[in-house]
Amino acid sequence: MYRSHTCGELRKENIGSQVTLAGWVQTIRDKGNIIWVDLRDRYGLVQIVGEIGVVSDEVMANLKALGREYVVQVTGEVIERYDKNPKMVTGDIEIKATSVVLLNASLTPPFTIEDQTDGGEELKMKYRYLDLRRKPVQEKLKLRHKVSLETRKYLDTVNFMEVETPYLIKSTPEGARDFVVPSRMNPGQFYALPQSPQTFKQLLMVSGYDRYYQIVKCFRDEDLRADRQPEFTQIDCEMAFVDQEDILNTFEGLIKHLFKTCRNYEFNYEFPRMTYAEAMEKYGSDKPDIRFDMSFVNLTSLAQGKDFAIFDNAELVLAITAKGCGEYTRKQLDALVDFVKRPQIGASGLIYCKCNEDGSYKSTVDKFYDQAALGAWANVCGAEKGDLIFVMSGNTDKVRSQMNELRLHLGTELGLRDPNVFAPLWVLDFPLLEWDENSGRYHAMHHPFTSPKKEDFHLLATEPGKVRANAYDLAMNGVELGGGSIRIHNKELQAKMFELLGFSDEEAKAQFGFLLNAFEYGAPPHGGLAFGFDRLVATMGGSDSIRDYIAFPKNNSGRDVMIDSPAPLALEQMEELFLASTAPAE
Amino acid sequence: MYRSHTCGELRKENIGSQVTLAGWVQTIRDKGNIIWVDLRDRYGLVQIVGEIGVVSDEVMANLKALGREYVVQVTGEVIERYDKNPKMVTGDIEIKATSVVLLNASLTPPFTIEDQTDGGEELKMKYRYLDLRRKPVQEKLKLRHKVSLETRKYLDTVNFMEVETPYLIKSTPEGARDFVVPSRMNPGQFYALPQSPQTFKQLLMVSGYDRYYQIVKCFRDEDLRADRQPEFTQIDCEMAFVDQEDILNTFEGLIKHLFKTCRNYEFNYEFPRMTYAEAMEKYGSDKPDIRFDMSFVNLTSLAQGKDFAIFDNAELVLAITAKGCGEYTRKQLDALVDFVKRPQIGASGLIYCKCNEDGSYKSTVDKFYDQAALGAWANVCGAEKGDLIFVMSGNTDKVRSQMNELRLHLGTELGLRDPNVFAPLWVLDFPLLEWDENSGRYHAMHHPFTSPKKEDFHLLATEPGKVRANAYDLAMNGVELGGGSIRIHNKELQAKMFELLGFSDEEAKAQFGFLLNAFEYGAPPHGGLAFGFDRLVATMGGSDSIRDYIAFPKNNSGRDVMIDSPAPLALEQMEELFLASTAPAE
């Protein structure tokens, strides 16, 4: 026992007790005859005090020998603090040291271990074990732990079983790239790491497990975008003998439970629902941020036929209204034009129309649209005096996606995206298929086992692109928290799906053989859902970035710079695995 | 909603209610005008009944069309059963069907889905999804789920945080072989899958996380022995500011909690403790099964000096007593001699001495030992009339190991190893080092960060082989459930350890650089422990075999025969990874 108490728990009530604490030196204030040391552990901070004549010379010398991040064990008496610190929960007391034992010294850390540190991103990654000492980072990992435990507790109460599925599985050419693992015992052969336990959880439904979940690492060898990780964590779930409604209700219950227990945030309403089609039409996104409105207004018919070629040639003209932004300066407006013209967004321009306080309109297309025409715009947009209307046009998909970016950007600028407000939204009826230009064929939008909606069966043969799936996502604050679908459990329908996706019988068998086999032995109706756990926790924490919620994340090249991995293998190791590298010499 | 109830929950109290059930057809008894179908789901079995004139013709036809393992939805009325079945918890009632909907048909399964199945090991592995339907297998996975959840609940209440450590880490040449993962984005470089999160959990202690745990998959590329898996699960734990006593108490608490909550088995005593030295001396094993005594008696001094060359030349002569086995037949005794002579055990012979009911002794070495001498043996062995003494001799390590095998074998034969009795034992003070004949140097028995016992520091330079470590195992029923150690957190001591292990400064840096670096920044005293989760659950379930407690295990060649993995990669995939295979063509 190195301690009787932790550094965060002592209060006024403890005054007079003898305590032993252990932790790290956070700060030292040495006034010569008196010295204060803040001692830190996972549970908090507490002040240690030594004064010449009050504590022994040895204790005084030991205190004076301390440095930042030294590990120390302190015994002493809890006394009332003269100069109380209301910002510290232990701020009413301090410890008059009677013994100070140095447990370990420390080099000076390369950045300060403070809430706001002076360390840059790269330095913090290299010394992640020091970054992890900072309170904001610890709070994030504590939230992650709590969400994970509460997920398990909740799912257990509604009869879910956690079943561990294997990590060394089989590579499939479909979908994203797999990470693979050479097998030494089976020369020339490889395992793959799972992108998700999809097939195994469906097998478990065939096996009668009924309600399965797992909090599980998944792996995807993609070219990393910002805030993607090659390994990530999923809450993976599947249920049998259910329809879509059962699944939505079950997991809405989970999310409500998590926010209540981990964030003390209550959703006392049913999560709103919206079809994919409506989400795209109103927000240009399948994961709209509905913390604020600013939904799209279709201006096409109003805007066309006025000899403004850009609009006349456009498939779609869209408007959004920024409330109270009528007074935006030229500089502000130019910045927005620049924003949409950035290559990541790729708009060719941005048209705006100010609704002046005097009832007049001022637009960048005054030449083509008179006051009456602009008034008609304002009318359908619901724009009032002092508002600002933005208009973009072009190809439907593109203009929606561009307008979505602008809308989110404005939402952020206008402070409409409070990270402590949470706006969940079920997005339903995703398309079953998407057309792939490269291969000239349809791909499954979700995966080939997703079931089409019954009312769209008749379109399968004629207009497959219009078929909607029993597929759903849970969006929150502009982020996709998770998604899933009701699977196909009918052999004939599955065969039709493979045909649509351009699989021959042989190809289907080669890729999904064991699952198709399993389906021959009594597959129940089933469906499921998976949440991106890193993303869920980050959203709950009010953050956009998942990296801070991962204890040891990798950088954008998939490297762990702390342990310097990946790295070349020893030649003997390569030989044992029957592998030769064909990588170009550096 | 496919069902109003599950198949396991209906009782007398439900008689008269209308219910809808969904599940698999377990058995069909068709007597022509009356038909009974047992319907099964994860929650149990219930009998459905149809009778001509009582149910509709359609229902009757639907029932008659069913086959084994068909998936079906049945609606009907709960009625009292005429011929009650006390063996079924739902045996008081049955369902008079009013609607029978076939949800899916099934091929005839390749083996029966019964508690005792006719399927062989290989067939069951290939169709694991069907084997998983069997109740004994489901019970095992349910136990696993429960143990995992209760582990988390318990550790949470004592302030442990679950922190996920990465799976894509770095290969180290020490210890067992790593599985590796080529990095496409870093050509020619590889990640490794963790054999354990050892270094990361020590980093977390440096980071101040204090009490860490994780239930985590680990990977070891070993030539598989029976009942080893290339991927396995650990309960991995680490604590800071603790000594060995704190760790033993904490995890003894965990084990007691698990047995109580998951097995309703109460340990109302402190787990016994034994040093490694004593365990080897008394049981020839570092994980003795203490459900029964039969401990070793050292006969060396008594047995030597009687001109029996085999004993005279032996380093150690050991005896054990089998109570009440004095009447063993020649055949039984020969079988035991054969047992110890098997190459896996390798004894050259087995000497025995019967303690006859008339007070005389009959031994295989009567020529050298008279009745008085044998009486002296019986005396030190505590053997009485009707008992049987077994004696083996030779090199200390070998004879202990051989006698251990014999002891366990006899324990099993004599029914002294009841799988529903649990005998935990802390084994303490493991040796720090073991001599490796191959490399001609010492290896760390646990790992290079294990701390030596203070009182043995003085032996480090002179007799390193005698130094004991602050290392401990928890054994139960002859199985090692887990183990750990107090780590070195002192730089100078660590340097001395590396020197002992024959590491140069450069080698130590190359292999453990980031951990040694971290230790420069204020490492607290810390230690930990890891339980083999598969082994723990199997032991709790009263089984020797871990395979049944894993949903999708691999066979002894590391293959998953169900999904047929590992498998060759497509050439393009190899090229993308900058890899060529040097495996010999088949």
Side-chain angles (χ1 to χ4, degrees):
Chain A
M1 275 302 189
Y2 277 84
R3 57 188 174 191
S4 64
H5 292 77
T6 65
C7 295
E9 65 179 306
L10 296 171
R11 301 283 184 278
K12 245 193 235 165
E13 295 74 58
N14 302 96
I15 287 171
S17 8
Q18 292 294 321
V19 297
T20 301
L21 305 171
W24 285 262
V25 172
Q26 175 80 26
T27 46
I28 304 168
R29 280 176 303 144
D30 187 348
K31 299 286 182 194
N33 63 333
I34 185 162
I35 182 167
W36 292 277
V37 173
D38 275 356
L39 197 65
R40 185 193 71 233
D41 66 15
R42 184 184 131 196
Y43 310 90
L45 263 185
V46 67
Q47 181 165 291
I48 313 294
V49 63
E51 189 176 359
I52 289 179
V54 176
V55 303
S56 73
D57 290 354
E58 191 194 340
V59 164
M60 208 58 198
N62 287 349
L63 284 173
K64 279 178 179 282
L66 295 178
R68 257 168 60 204
E69 300 305 319
Y70 279 38
V71 188
V72 64
Q73 184 186 39
V74 176
T75 301
E77 186 189 339
V78 183
I79 59 173
E80 185 161 6
R81 196 156 151 177
Y82 174 73
D83 189 15
K84 299 202 175 37
N85 182 348
K87 284 187 202 152
M88 277 169 85
V89 289
T90 62
D92 286 344
I93 58 98
E94 60 190 355
I95 313 297
K96 190 175 71 183
T98 53
S99 150
V100 172
V101 179
L102 178 66
L103 297 174
N104 225 337
S106 172
L107 297 180
T108 305
F111 49 83
T112 56
I113 312 295
E114 305 275 358
D115 290 7
Q116 300 295 332
T117 178
D118 55 355
E121 218 33 60
E122 212 161 320
L123 206 57
K124 285 196 292 179
M125 288 286 275
K126 180 157 184 212
Y127 294 90
R128 179 66 174 167
Y129 47 87
L130 296 179
D131 195 29
L132 285 171
R133 282 188 189 165
R134 298 191 308 112
K135 198 177 160 201
V137 182
Q138 295 211 348
E139 290 302 326
K140 291 182 171 75
L141 294 186
K142 278 183 203 170
L143 177 64
R144 185 180 180 111
H145 164 63
K146 196 157 169 54
V147 175
S148 140
L149 188 69
E150 288 298 336
T151 299
R152 291 190 160 95
K153 282 186 187 170
Y154 181 84
L155 292 176
D156 186 64
T157 59
V158 290
N159 266 327
F160 280 77
M161 253 177 85
E162 184 163 31
V163 181
E164 293 173 57
T165 54
Y167 277 75
L168 297 174
I169 63 166
K170 193 177 179 174
S171 192
T172 52
E174 274 293 290
R177 246 185 242 100
D178 289 319
F179 280 105
V180 297
V181 180
S183 165
R184 182 181 54 86
M185 287 175 75
N186 301 274
Q189 302 192 12
F190 293 73
Y191 303 99
L193 298 177
Q195 295 184 30
S196 94
Q198 183 65 35
T199 43
F200 288 95
K201 69 177 177 175
Q202 292 194 244
L203 286 178
L204 285 171
M205 293 307 106
V206 174
S207 300
Y209 284 70
D210 205 275
R211 294 183 159 212
Y212 142 93
Y213 85 97
Q214 195 181 186
I215 301 185
V216 62
K217 273 280 173 78
C218 300
F219 304 85
R220 213 164 280 174
D221 183 12
E222 288 176 306
D223 298 318
L224 300 176
R225 302 194 303 235
D227 221 32
R228 280 259 182 133
Q229 291 281 320
E231 52 177 306
F232 54 97
T233 306
Q234 268 186 205
I235 305 175
D236 190 52
C237 306
E238 195 82 2
M239 302 170 81
F241 301 119
V242 291
D243 48 36
Q244 177 169 307
E245 196 60 32
D246 300 319
I247 293 187
L248 301 190
N249 290 336
T250 303
F251 294 103
E252 186 164 323
L254 170 65
I255 296 293
K256 285 177 173 173
H257 173 82
L258 294 179
F259 273 86
K260 191 171 171 185
T261 50
C262 305
R263 282 286 323 226
N264 197 23
Y265 189 98
E266 200 129 8
F267 292 107
N268 45 15
Y269 57 86
E270 277 181 29
F271 290 0
R273 300 177 180 193
M274 190 179 282
T275 64
Y276 172 88
E278 188 183 351
M280 295 308 290
E281 205 179 298
K282 287 177 74 172
Y283 300 101
S285 166
D286 59 2
K287 43 179 189 281
D289 184 350
I290 59 166
R291 276 174 298 186
F292 63 109
D293 183 16
M294 217 187 274
S295 56
F296 300 175
V297 172
N298 189 331
L299 272 196
T300 317
S301 60
L302 266 185
Q304 286 184 340
K306 305 278 185 177
D307 291 334
F308 182 47
I310 292 177
F311 285 176
D312 284 351
N313 298 329
E315 206 173 87
L316 182 66
V317 182
L318 282 182
I320 59 174
T321 304
K323 297 306 272 180
C325 297
E327 304 289 325
Y328 261 29
T329 62
R330 180 62 191 253
K331 200 175 152 197
Q332 284 176 299
L333 291 164
D334 283 350
L336 289 172
V337 174
D338 289 346
F339 173 81
V340 299
K341 282 182 162 177
R342 287 166 16 165
Q344 301 95 307
I345 299 179
S348 48
L350 177 64
I351 283 156
Y352 52 81
C353 169
K354 287 182 170 183
C355 305
N356 296 326
E357 291 295 345
D358 63 5
S360 69
Y361 301 98
K362 174 71 196 134
S363 100
T364 38
V365 285
D366 282 345
K367 233 188 343 183
F368 303 94
Y369 299 90
D370 59 19
Q371 291 290 310
L374 295 174
W377 288 12
N379 192 36
V380 297
C381 289
E384 298 167 298
K385 290 174 185 172
D387 292 349
L388 180 58
I389 300 170
F390 292 100
V391 186
M392 289 204 275
S393 64
N395 158 285
T396 300
D397 288 351
K398 276 190 190 151
V399 70
R400 281 177 171 173
S401 144
Q402 291 158 358
M403 196 56 116
N404 168 50
E405 297 287 351
L406 177 64
R407 174 181 176 271
L408 293 176
H409 181 73
L410 284 168
T412 304
E413 278 205 336
L414 297 171
L416 303 173
R417 306 182 73 191
D418 182 344
N420 292 309
V421 168
F422 302 97
L425 176 71
W426 285 111
V427 181
L428 308 177
D429 300 349
F430 272 73
L432 181 69
L433 303 167
E434 57 188 351
W435 182 256
D436 182 60
E437 292 291 347
N438 286 334
S439 56
R441 63 179 178 89
Y442 282 108
H443 279 257
M445 193 151 176
H446 204 61
H447 58 70
F449 301 98
T450 299
S451 66
K453 285 182 87 78
K454 239 186 200 138
E455 52 269 47
D456 291 356
F457 274 13
H458 66 282
L459 297 169
L460 275 171
T462 51
E463 295 182 276
K466 287 200 171 161
V467 176
R468 293 163 303 161
N470 293 311
Y472 33 81
D473 273 2
L474 180 62
M476 188 181 279
N477 296 5
V479 159
E480 180 201 328
L481 293 188
S485 68
I486 299 293
R487 329 297 181 186
I488 300 172
H489 66 282
N490 171 293
K491 225 168 85 174
E492 288 75 32
L493 187 55
Q494 189 63 61
K496 197 178 275 179
M497 264 302 279
F498 280 132
E499 198 190 311
L500 265 175
L501 297 171
F503 282 83
S504 70
D505 276 9
E506 291 69 37
E507 286 167 336
K509 251 182 206 142
Q511 282 192 39
F512 304 104
F514 61 97
L515 189 55
L516 296 177
N517 266 345
F519 280 4
E520 300 274 8
Y521 292 96
H526 64 288
L529 180 144
F531 290 102
F533 186 63
D534 311 293
R535 182 74 58 204
L536 170 65
V537 180
T539 302
M540 290 180 73
S543 171
D544 286 335
S545 159
I546 62 169
R547 197 175 289 179
D548 278 349
Y549 290 83
I550 296 171
F552 299 100
K554 293 190 174 49
N555 74 8
N556 280 349
S557 335
R559 294 198 69 82
D560 182 327
V561 295
M562 180 185 71
I563 65 172
D564 193 25
S565 166
L569 285 191
L571 195 60
E572 311 88 80
Q573 230 172 330
M574 294 289 283
E575 282 169 357
E576 255 190 347
L577 295 168
F578 300 95
L579 287 181
S581 173
T582 62
E586 281 184 46
Chain B
M1 276 301 189
Y2 277 83
R3 57 186 172 190
S4 64
H5 293 77
T6 64
C7 295
E9 65 180 303
L10 295 171
R11 300 282 183 281
K12 245 191 232 163
E13 295 76 53
N14 303 96
I15 288 170
S17 7
Q18 291 295 319
V19 297
T20 301
L21 304 170
W24 285 262
V25 172
Q26 176 79 26
T27 46
I28 304 168
R29 278 176 304 145
D30 187 348
K31 300 282 181 197
N33 63 334
I34 185 161
I35 182 168
W36 292 277
V37 173
D38 275 356
L39 197 64
R40 186 194 69 233
D41 65 14
R42 182 183 131 197
Y43 310 91
L45 265 185
V46 67
Q47 180 165 291
I48 314 293
V49 64
E51 189 175 359
I52 290 178
V54 177
V55 305
S56 73
D57 291 353
E58 190 194 342
V59 163
M60 208 58 197
N62 287 348
L63 283 173
K64 279 177 178 282
L66 295 179
R68 255 169 61 202
E69 301 304 318
Y70 278 38
V71 188
V72 65
Q73 184 186 40
V74 175
T75 301
E77 187 190 340
V78 183
I79 59 172
E80 186 162 7
R81 198 154 150 180
Y82 174 72
D83 189 15
K84 299 201 174 36
N85 182 349
K87 284 189 201 152
M88 276 171 84
V89 289
T90 63
D92 286 345
I93 58 97
E94 60 189 359
I95 313 297
K96 190 174 69 183
T98 54
S99 151
V100 172
V101 180
L102 179 66
L103 298 174
N104 225 337
S106 171
L107 297 180
T108 304
F111 49 84
T112 56
I113 313 294
E114 305 277 357
D115 291 7
Q116 300 295 333
T117 177
D118 56 355
E121 219 32 60
E122 211 161 322
L123 205 59
K124 286 197 291 180
M125 288 287 276
K126 179 157 185 209
Y127 294 90
R128 179 67 175 166
Y129 46 87
L130 296 180
D131 194 29
L132 284 170
R133 282 187 189 167
R134 298 192 309 113
K135 198 179 162 202
V137 182
Q138 294 211 349
E139 290 302 326
K140 291 182 172 75
L141 294 185
K142 277 183 202 170
L143 177 64
R144 186 180 179 110
H145 164 63
K146 197 157 171 51
V147 175
S148 141
L149 188 68
E150 288 297 336
T151 299
R152 290 189 160 95
K153 282 186 185 169
Y154 181 85
L155 292 176
D156 187 63
T157 59
V158 291
N159 266 325
F160 279 76
M161 257 177 84
E162 184 162 32
V163 180
E164 292 173 57
T165 53
Y167 277 74
L168 297 174
I169 64 166
K170 193 178 178 173
S171 191
T172 50
E174 275 293 291
R177 246 185 241 100
D178 290 318
F179 280 106
V180 298
V181 181
S183 166
R184 183 183 53 85
M185 288 176 74
N186 301 275
Q189 302 191 11
F190 292 74
Y191 304 98
L193 299 177
Q195 296 185 29
S196 97
Q198 183 65 36
T199 45
F200 287 96
K201 70 175 174 176
Q202 292 195 242
L203 286 176
L204 286 170
M205 293 307 106
V206 173
S207 300
Y209 283 69
D210 206 275
R211 293 181 162 216
Y212 143 92
Y213 83 97
Q214 196 181 183
I215 301 185
V216 63
K217 274 279 174 79
C218 300
F219 304 85
R220 213 165 282 176
D221 184 12
E222 288 175 305
D223 298 319
L224 300 176
R225 303 194 303 236
D227 220 32
R228 279 259 181 132
Q229 291 281 321
E231 52 176 305
F232 55 97
T233 306
Q234 269 186 202
I235 307 175
D236 190 51
C237 306
E238 195 82 1
M239 303 170 81
F241 301 120
V242 290
D243 47 38
Q244 176 170 308
E245 197 58 33
D246 300 319
I247 293 187
L248 301 191
N249 289 335
T250 304
F251 294 101
E252 186 164 323
L254 169 65
I255 295 295
K256 284 177 174 174
H257 173 83
L258 294 179
F259 272 86
K260 191 170 170 184
T261 51
C262 305
R263 282 286 323 227
N264 196 26
Y265 190 97
E266 200 129 7
F267 292 106
N268 46 16
Y269 57 84
E270 277 180 28
F271 289 1
R273 300 178 181 191
M274 192 180 281
T275 63
Y276 172 86
E278 189 184 350
M280 295 309 289
E281 204 179 298
K282 287 177 72 175
Y283 301 102
S285 165
D286 59 1
K287 42 178 190 282
D289 184 348
I290 59 166
R291 277 176 295 185
F292 63 110
D293 182 16
M294 217 187 275
S295 56
F296 300 176
V297 172
N298 189 330
L299 272 197
T300 316
S301 61
L302 266 186
Q304 286 185 339
K306 307 275 183 178
D307 292 334
F308 183 45
I310 293 178
F311 284 176
D312 285 350
N313 298 330
E315 208 172 86
L316 182 66
V317 183
L318 283 182
I320 58 173
T321 304
K323 298 304 272 180
C325 296
E327 305 288 325
Y328 261 29
T329 62
R330 181 61 192 252
K331 199 176 154 198
Q332 282 174 301
L333 291 164
D334 283 351
L336 290 171
V337 174
D338 289 348
F339 173 79
V340 299
K341 282 184 163 177
R342 289 167 16 170
Q344 302 95 306
I345 298 180
S348 48
L350 176 66
I351 284 154
Y352 52 80
C353 169
K354 287 182 173 183
C355 306
N356 296 326
E357 292 294 345
D358 64 5
S360 68
Y361 301 97
K362 172 76 198 133
S363 98
T364 37
V365 286
D366 282 344
K367 222 171 18 165
F368 303 96
Y369 299 89
D370 58 20
Q371 291 290 311
L374 296 174
W377 289 12
N379 193 36
V380 298
C381 288
E384 298 167 300
K385 290 173 187 176
D387 292 349
L388 180 59
I389 300 169
F390 292 101
V391 186
M392 289 204 275
S393 65
N395 159 286
T396 300
D397 289 352
K398 276 189 191 153
V399 70
R400 281 177 171 174
S401 142
Q402 290 159 357
M403 196 56 118
N404 168 50
E405 297 288 350
L406 176 64
R407 175 180 175 270
L408 294 176
H409 181 72
L410 284 168
T412 305
E413 279 205 336
L414 297 172
L416 303 173
R417 306 183 72 190
D418 182 344
N420 291 309
V421 169
F422 301 96
L425 175 71
W426 286 111
V427 180
L428 308 177
D429 301 350
F430 271 74
L432 181 69
L433 303 167
E434 56 187 350
W435 182 257
D436 183 58
E437 291 291 345
N438 286 333
S439 56
R441 62 179 179 90
Y442 282 107
H443 278 259
M445 195 151 173
H446 204 63
H447 58 68
F449 300 99
T450 299
S451 65
K453 287 182 85 76
K454 239 185 200 141
E455 52 270 44
D456 291 355
F457 275 13
H458 66 283
L459 297 169
L460 276 171
T462 51
E463 294 181 278
K466 287 201 172 160
V467 177
R468 293 163 303 162
N470 293 309
Y472 34 80
D473 272 3
L474 181 62
M476 187 181 279
N477 296 7
V479 159
E480 180 201 326
L481 293 187
S485 67
I486 299 293
R487 327 298 182 188
I488 300 172
H489 67 281
N490 170 292
K491 225 168 88 175
E492 288 75 33
L493 186 56
Q494 189 64 63
K496 198 178 276 180
M497 265 302 280
F498 280 132
E499 199 190 311
L500 266 176
L501 297 170
F503 282 83
S504 69
D505 277 10
E506 292 67 39
E507 285 166 337
K509 252 184 203 138
Q511 284 192 37
F512 304 104
F514 61 97
L515 187 56
L516 296 178
N517 266 345
F519 279 3
E520 301 273 8
Y521 291 97
H526 64 288
L529 180 143
F531 289 103
F533 186 62
D534 310 292
R535 182 74 57 200
L536 170 65
V537 181
T539 302
M540 289 181 74
S543 170
D544 285 335
S545 158
I546 62 170
R547 198 176 287 177
D548 277 350
Y549 290 83
I550 297 170
F552 299 100
K554 294 188 174 53
N555 74 9
N556 280 348
S557 337
R559 293 198 70 83
D560 183 327
V561 295
M562 179 186 72
I563 65 173
D564 193 22
S565 167
L569 286 191
L571 195 60
E572 312 88 79
Q573 228 171 330
M574 292 290 281
E575 282 169 358
E576 254 190 349
L577 294 169
F578 299 95
L579 287 181
S581 172
T582 62
E586 281 182 48

